[in-house]
């Protein structure tokens, strides 16, 4: 049954799909017809098994992804320290490059993306940048350089999860 008059003020409604009364401003959604939800499609055990078998075994390898993350972090650490040795300039924001190398290395060897891989990449990138900062500054580096560590970890995580 469609509403033709407002139940609050008995004013005439322009159409049956109006959500508020034009005369008194009453909320009419309570009296509107609700569309029933579509029926759920039952899932059989055979369909679940076919979906599991559709993914080729061994396509993704977390071990290779971790190896890629560690390799990328070591390469980024080498680039940061090599830049310092070659130029004598301390540039901690090269940690972003370490995050990039870590994330792309893990993604390339993992052959995909994964949340767990992203967390591992973030940790590897943090350790790589911290190692490079300790090699460049010694143990007394500025706390402001922690920004480079956080940025590299977030870059590595984003790349490995998307």
């Amino acid at each position: 049954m469609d509403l033709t008059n407002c139940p609050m003020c008995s004013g005439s409604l322009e159409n049956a799909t109006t959500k508020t009364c034009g005369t008194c401003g009453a909320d009419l959604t309570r009296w509107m017809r609700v569309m029933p939800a579509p029926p759920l499609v039952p899932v059989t055990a055979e369909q679940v098994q076919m979906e599991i078998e559709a993914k080729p075994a061994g396509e993704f390898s977390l071990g290779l992804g971790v190896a890629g993350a560690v390799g990328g972090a070591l390469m980024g650490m080498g680039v940061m320290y090599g830049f310092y040795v070659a130029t004598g300039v301390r540039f901690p924001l090269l940690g972003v490059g370490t995050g990039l190398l870590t994330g792309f290395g893990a993604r390339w060897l993992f052959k995909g993306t994964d949340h767990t891989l992203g967390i591992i990449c973030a940790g590897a990138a943090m350790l790589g940048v911290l190692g490079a900062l300790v090699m460049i500054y010694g143990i007394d580096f500025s706390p402001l350089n922690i920004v480079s560590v956080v940025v590299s970890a977030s870059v590595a995580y984003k790349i490995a999860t998307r």
Side-chain angles (χ1 to χ4, degrees):
M1 164 174 108
D2 292 331
L3 285 176
T4 56
N5 293 334
C6 174
M8 301 299 279
C9 69
S10 299
S12 173
L13 299 176
E14 295 175 11
N15 59 28
T17 59
T18 303
K19 293 185 179 185
T20 57
C21 175
T23 307
C24 68
D27 183 16
L28 303 176
T29 56
R30 178 172 150 188
W31 289 281
M32 294 180 77
R33 200 180 312 178
V34 177
M35 300 299 286
L40 297 175
V41 178
V43 178
T44 63
E46 293 85 24
Q47 290 173 331
V48 172
Q49 186 63 30
M50 286 174 40
E51 187 174 316
I52 291 171
E53 291 174 358
K55 181 180 170 185
E59 181 181 342
F60 301 109
S61 173
L62 188 60
L64 285 175
V66 170
V70 169
L74 289 173
M75 283 175 40
M77 192 165 87
V79 167
M80 275 183 77
Y81 186 68
F83 180 80
Y84 167 69
V85 169
T87 62
V89 176
R90 297 176 178 175
F91 191 60
L93 286 180
L94 280 175
V96 174
T98 303
L100 287 169
L101 287 171
T102 304
F104 281 126
R107 189 175 178 174
W108 176 55
L109 288 180
F110 183 73
K111 294 184 178 34
T113 60
D114 187 39
H115 175 70
T116 305
L117 184 67
I119 293 172
I120 292 168
C121 284
M126 288 175 72
L127 289 176
V129 172
L130 275 174
L133 289 175
V134 167
M135 287 191 309
I136 293 170
Y137 291 98
I139 217 65
D140 297 327
F141 62 87
S142 169
L144 195 57
N145 290 336
I146 297 301
V147 171
S148 178
V149 174
V150 172
V151 170
S152 71
S154 65
V155 167
Y157 177 81
K158 292 281 185 181
I159 290 173
T161 57
R162 291 185 184 202

